[in-house]
């Protein structure tokens, strides 16, 4: 008999399944709970065997839950939340209030970090901890108090609140433009060396939003991180997609130059808080600071 009881599957399998359901992929779930992709996949398969039910289906866009998987994850999420709330109540209170913020690397480095002293002044005695990271925290494991993420507003995490939908546009350094000339139109831009993040999808989506269907594969390096791409553009290595939030000061001081005229908004920043801290005055104060200071484009 399992240590978890005759009618309860091993909790390690439930934890892996919940992470897959929340993150939408085996790889991201593995990163989320700190194990390998193979381990997560094995736990989910074992859970399906234990349940004698198909729980997830792999698709080109990630993992999708079956009807049985949707039913199970609702109960598992609720149970984990109850455990998290109870442990939060039982743990001794911190002598000083804290706010652990996870944030997309580009926004964390380029916009939040230069404003840390302003945030601390607005938050009073609250101790701020900021981590630049591009995955959702495991709120049940108390990894963070809130996350500022980025995504399409029609596909946000449960409980997320929209913050800002920024304009996204291409930029290059004056040195790069001096060597290569600024692309005169979208066709010329598509043939230029473009700086990509994890994949070429963001640029592809941008061109489609501009009404251009690409006929050839885009050029340029994949750097896997928004900050690396931003630094590469500053160093004259190609053309990057940015927003005023991440590149406003560099554009204003002439270190980057906007190319072409575009009104494309591919996604936006959102805020999602740990369920156990919903309604907390500290979080409310930080949300109010964001609302007062995020630029409205």
């Amino acid at each position: 008999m399992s240590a978890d009881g005759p009618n309860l599957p091993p909790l390690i399998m439930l934890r892996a399944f919940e992470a897959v359901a929340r993150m939408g992929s085996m790889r991201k779930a593995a990163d989320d709970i700190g194990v390998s992709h193979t381990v997560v996949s094995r736990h989910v398969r074992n859970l399906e065997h234990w349940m004698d039910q198909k729980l997830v289906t792999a698709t080109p866009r990630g993992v999708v839950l079956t009807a049985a998987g949707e039913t199970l994850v609702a109960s598992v999420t609720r149970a984990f939340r109850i455990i998290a709330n109870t442990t939060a109540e039982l743990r001794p209170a911190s002598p000083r209030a804290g706010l652990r913020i996870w944030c997309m690397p580009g926004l964390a480095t380029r916009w939040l970090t230069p404003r840390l002293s302003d945030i601390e002044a607005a938050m009073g005695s609250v101790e701020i901890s900021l981590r630049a990271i591009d995955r959702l925290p495991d709120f049940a494991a108390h990894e963070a108090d809130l996350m500022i993420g980025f995504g399409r507003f029609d596909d946000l995490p449960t409980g997320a609140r929209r913050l800002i939908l920024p304009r996204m546009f291409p930029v290059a350094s004056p040195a790069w433009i001096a060597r290569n000339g600024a692309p005169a139109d979208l066709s010329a831009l598509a043939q230029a060396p473009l700086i990509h993040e994890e994949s070429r999808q963001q640029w592809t989506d941008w061109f489609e939003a501009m009404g251009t269907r690409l006929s050839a594969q885009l050029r340029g390096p994949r750097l896997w991180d928004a900050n690396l791409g931003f630094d590469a553009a500053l160093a004259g290595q190609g053309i990057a997609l940015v927003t005023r939030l991440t590149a406003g000061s560099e554009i204003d001081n002439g270190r980057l130059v906007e190319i072409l005229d575009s009104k494309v908004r591919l996604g936006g920043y959102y805020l999602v808080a740990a369920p156990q801290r919903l309604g907390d005055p500290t979080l409310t104060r930080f949300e109010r600071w964001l609302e007062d200071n995020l630029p409205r484009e």
Side-chain angles (χ1 to χ4, degrees):
M1 180 184 300
S2 165
D4 297 305
N7 297 315
L8 182 67
L11 291 177
I12 192 170
M13 295 193 301
L14 291 174
R15 179 162 168 74
F17 168 70
E18 185 276 337
V20 169
R22 175 163 42 84
M23 304 301 295
S25 84
M26 295 286 184
R27 179 182 63 81
K28 290 180 179 179
D31 292 340
D32 184 61
I33 62 177
V35 298
S36 72
H37 172 281
T38 304
V39 170
V40 168
S41 180
R42 183 173 68 248
H43 285 327
V44 172
R45 288 198 309 271
N46 288 342
L47 181 61
E48 289 180 324
H49 178 73
W50 193 96
M51 298 282 297
D52 196 21
Q53 292 272 0
K54 184 70 174 173
L55 301 174
V56 301
T57 301
T59 74
R61 296 179 64 86
V63 172
V64 175
L65 298 182
T66 65
E70 292 282 4
T71 299
L72 179 61
V73 78
S75 295
V76 170
T77 301
R78 187 163 56 250
F80 283 176
R81 185 175 298 122
I82 291 171
I83 294 170
N85 289 342
T86 302
T87 54
E89 291 173 2
L90 294 175
R91 292 172 68 188
S94 171
R96 184 181 181 192
L99 185 63
R100 296 164 300 159
I101 304 166
W102 282 20
C103 183
M104 296 297 291
L107 187 70
T109 303
R110 307 292 174 179
W111 192 80
L112 272 180
T113 298
R115 292 165 175 80
L116 278 177
S117 59
D118 294 338
I119 297 173
E120 290 174 339
M123 300 298 292
S125 62
V126 176
E127 183 175 293
I128 303 296
S129 172
L130 175 62
R131 180 177 180 184
I133 189 169
D134 63 356
R135 71 168 176 86
L136 284 171
D138 184 347
F139 290 128
H142 299 277
E143 286 188 328
D145 298 310
L146 61 87
M147 170 74 184
I148 302 174
F150 185 89
R152 294 185 179 275
F153 278 177
D154 58 358
D155 186 29
L156 296 183
T158 302
R161 187 169 70 81
R162 300 177 182 185
L163 290 175
I164 185 173
L165 189 69
R167 184 172 67 93
M168 188 171 289
F169 51 89
V171 296
S173 71
W176 187 92
I177 293 173
R179 289 195 309 270
N180 302 278
D185 53 31
L186 291 171
S187 177
L189 180 61
Q191 297 175 40
L194 307 177
I195 297 170
H196 306 272
E197 294 183 23
E198 184 173 347
S199 73
R200 295 183 170 86
Q201 191 61 49
Q202 189 177 66
W203 268 109
T204 300
D205 291 345
W206 186 88
F207 276 105
E208 289 183 357
M210 289 290 288
T212 297
R213 186 170 294 278
L214 300 170
S215 58
Q217 184 173 355
L218 297 172
R219 298 167 51 203
R222 288 185 295 162
L223 301 181
W224 296 83
D225 181 272
N227 281 318
L228 288 175
F230 189 95
D231 289 339
L234 283 173
Q237 299 303 302
I239 302 173
L241 280 175
V242 301
T243 70
R244 285 286 306 181
L245 276 171
T246 56
S249 62
E250 284 75 13
I251 292 171
D252 292 341
N253 64 29
R255 297 180 67 200
L256 289 174
V257 178
E258 182 173 355
I259 294 173
L260 302 178
D261 181 35
S262 62
K263 306 295 182 185
V264 173
R265 300 174 191 270
L266 292 180
Y269 290 99
Y270 62 85
L271 184 146
V272 59
Q276 60 268 31
R277 293 203 64 172
L278 290 176
D280 187 316
T282 300
L283 266 67
T284 301
R285 204 180 321 155
F286 179 69
E287 290 183 41
R288 189 177 302 118
W289 183 90
L290 285 174
E291 291 173 353
D292 292 342
N293 288 275
L294 281 171
R296 301 299 167 185
E297 297 184 79

